[in-house]
Every structure is written in structure tokens, then in C-alpha cells.
């Protein structure tokens, strides 16, 4: 099990995209220091994570901008949970911190979402 999840909730137009590109350009170096980056939530902006967390009505979950051919609604929600869990489980033991970064989290989530939203890594 990983020790820590770091969620960078960037604010639009503050350099978040530059940070995200830097992280993924240095992915191997970060891994050598025990830090893993998720790929299944979108590279480099982790947009799918914000999309996952921002919809409460899973039956009507649209993914209009995603180029991937994925099912809608609950099937997509469950698929994302499985992909995140599988990717985290596949990290080597040396990876103890997982980092995600999305400026889309800032504008779409409110404090109540952090209490109500089930993270894609939770088992339920």
C-alpha cells in the first residue's frame, strides 16, 4: 500500500500546465525518489480525475471531450476506479507517494465534495 497521495489542485492560469509537463518529463527521476505519477487519469493534466470526482449523477456521466472509446455512466465510473487501483497496485514497492495534478479540480470541487466523493482508490 502506498503511504501518501499528493493532490495538486491547481488554479487555472497559474502555471499548472507547466508543472504538469515538468512532472511527466521527469517521471523516471521522480520514480527513483519514490514518487509515482498516474497515467490512466490523463497525461499530463489528470483531467479524468476531476471528471470522475465532479459528477454526482453517475447514470448520466458524460465524457464528451475524451478521445477514448469508453462506456458512459456507472460503467465508466467503475472502469476508472478499476484503472486507478490497478495502476497504483502495479507501482513497484519503492513508490510510496503518488502525485496527481489537475487545475480542473480547483474549479469543479467544493469542500463538501472532499467529504462525499469516494476516491477511485477506495474499495467500495
Amino acid at each position: 500500500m502506498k503511504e501518501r497521495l499528493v493532490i495538486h489542485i491547481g488554479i487555472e492560469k497559474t502555471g499548472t500546465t507547466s508543472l504538469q509537463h515538468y512532472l511527466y518529463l521527469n517521471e523516471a527521476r521522480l520514480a527513483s525518489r519514490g514518487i509515482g505519477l498516474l497515467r490512466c487519469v490523463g497525461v499530463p493534466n489528470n483531467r479524468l480525475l476531476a471528471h470522475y470526482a465532479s459528477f454526482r449523477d453517475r447514470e448520466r456521466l458524460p465524457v464528451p471531450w475524451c478521445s477514448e472509446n469508453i462506456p458512459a455512466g456507472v460503467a465508466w465510473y467503475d472502469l476508472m476506479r478499476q484503472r486507478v487501483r490497478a495502476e497504483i497496485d502495479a507501482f513497484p514497492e519503492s513508490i510510496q507517494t503518488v502525485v496527481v495534478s489537475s487545475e480542473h479540480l480547483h474549479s469543479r470541487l467544493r469542500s463538501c465534495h472532499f467529504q462525499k466523493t469516494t476516491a477511485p482508490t477506495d474499495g467500495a
Side-chain angles (χ1 to χ4, degrees):
M1 177 173 263
K2 304 305 164 213
E3 296 286 325
R4 182 180 325 161
L5 173 65
V6 176
I7 303 173
H8 172 248
I9 303 173
I11 300 172
E12 288 93 344
K13 306 300 180 199
T14 60
T16 298
T17 301
S18 294
L19 172 66
Q20 293 160 343
H21 284 285
Y22 179 84
L23 289 171
Y24 282 95
L25 285 172
N26 290 283
E27 190 171 13
R29 177 180 269 175
L30 291 167
S32 73
R33 290 179 167 86
I35 300 169
L37 304 174
L38 289 180
R39 294 191 148 271
C40 68
V41 292
V43 174
N45 63 16
N46 299 168
R47 183 180 281 195
L48 291 174
L49 183 63
H51 194 68
Y52 175 94
S54 65
F55 286 89
R56 291 178 293 276
D57 184 357
R58 292 191 251 168
E59 293 295 334
R60 298 175 44 208
L61 187 70
V63 191
W65 40 260
C66 187
S67 61
E68 194 174 343
N69 184 14
I70 55 178
V74 173
W76 181 84
Y77 198 84
D78 292 341
L79 178 64
M80 281 307 301
R81 180 189 308 270
Q82 292 168 9
R83 285 182 176 179
V84 169
R85 177 81 273 162
E87 189 169 346
I88 289 173
D89 288 345
F91 280 132
E93 285 298 315
S94 61
I95 301 294
Q96 291 299 307
T97 300
V98 177
V99 174
V100 294
S101 173
S102 178
E103 64 272 23
H104 304 289
L105 288 171
H106 170 265
S107 63
R108 288 164 178 79
L109 297 182
R110 305 291 179 255
S111 60
C112 63
H113 288 109
F114 291 103
Q115 296 170 358
K116 295 179 183 177
T117 301
T118 303
T121 59
D122 293 343

